[in-house]
Amino acid sequence: PNHLCIDETVRSDGRLDRAIAHTAASICAAMVDAEVIRMVRIKTGTVKRLQKDLNLYKKEFEEQQNKVDRMKEEGCDEHDIKQQVQVLNETVTMIPDCRQRLEAALIDLKSYLEAEACSEEGEEVESAKKVAADAELVFEE
């Protein structure tokens, strides 16, 4: 983000007013800090949502697989089994896609934390680091 920061201002009589310049610089720094925190929240939320989505797809896969197996054991109509297998296959195709999106979001969050938020401290940054660490566990499975 581009922010206008004023280092020094010139008064009408030609003298520099450093107090105004300092205040302007402080306001500028606060705006940058607020933007960094806002972006950390957004990126953290994205990782959380994608991790939740991935877990839901995995759970749905198990449920659909059990349902197909149960239908086969019970000798259900072949057409009904095919329909259920199609639902299962749709779920299977979503897992790698969701995993890739999670990986990209995780890389984005970690890069942002290293580049922009390294000097920031506080709840949001600590929460983001914890979310990133938890999300990395998905890729160790």
Side-chain angles (χ1 to χ4, degrees), residues 66-83:
N66 290 338
K67 188 171 185 176
V68 168
D69 292 344
R70 189 175 60 250
M71 289 176 76
K72 286 179 180 178
E73 287 174 5
E74 294 173 357
C76 290
D77 183 56
E78 196 64 34
H79 177 70
D80 292 339
I81 293 173
K82 270 188 176 178
Q83 289 290 329

Side-chain angles (χ1 to χ4, degrees), residues 20-56:
I20 293 174
H22 178 71
T23 302
S26 296
I27 291 170
C28 183
M31 289 172 54
V32 171
D33 291 347
E35 180 64 17
V36 168
I37 296 301
R38 185 178 84 76
M39 291 304 296
V40 166
R41 285 182 184 153
I42 290 169
K43 292 175 185 302
T44 302
T46 301
V47 170
K48 282 181 179 179
R49 180 180 44 80
L50 289 170
Q51 190 172 8
K52 182 179 176 182
D53 287 352
L54 182 60
N55 289 334
L56 288 174

Side-chain angles (χ1 to χ4, degrees), residues 19-129:
I20 293 174
H22 178 71
T23 302
S26 296
I27 291 170
C28 183
M31 289 172 54
V32 171
D33 291 347
E35 180 64 17
V36 168
I37 296 301
R38 185 178 84 76
M39 291 304 296
V40 166
R41 285 182 184 153
I42 290 169
K43 292 175 185 302
T44 302
T46 301
V47 170
K48 282 181 179 179
R49 180 180 44 80
L50 289 170
Q51 190 172 8
K52 182 179 176 182
D53 287 352
L54 182 60
N55 289 334
L56 288 174
Y57 282 126
K58 288 179 178 180
K59 183 179 177 183
E60 183 179 341
F61 168 76
E62 290 175 14
E63 290 171 356
Q64 293 297 329
Q65 184 65 54
N66 290 338
K67 188 171 185 176
V68 168
D69 292 344
R70 189 175 60 250
M71 289 176 76
K72 286 179 180 178
E73 287 174 5
E74 294 173 357
C76 290
D77 183 56
E78 196 64 34
H79 177 70
D80 292 339
I81 293 173
K82 270 188 176 178
Q83 289 290 329
Q84 203 58 47
V85 168
Q86 185 176 357
V87 171
L88 175 64
N89 288 337
E90 289 172 6
T91 302
V92 168
T93 60
M94 291 305 297
I95 292 173
D97 175 61
C98 190
R99 188 178 170 99
Q100 287 174 345
R101 288 184 291 134
L102 174 59
E103 184 176 22
L106 179 60
I107 290 169
D108 186 38
L109 174 61
K110 288 172 62 178
S111 298
Y112 193 80
L113 287 173
E114 290 173 11
E116 300 293 332
C118 59
S119 63
E120 295 291 324
E121 292 186 17
E123 256 179 67
E124 291 85 3
V125 173
E126 289 306 312
S127 174
K129 289 178 181 178

Side-chain angles (χ1 to χ4, degrees), residues 124-141:
E124 291 85 3
V125 173
E126 289 306 312
S127 174
K129 289 178 181 178
K130 183 179 180 337
V131 167
D134 290 345
E136 286 179 335
L137 297 175
V138 169
F139 299 102
E140 293 177 4
E141 295 174 352

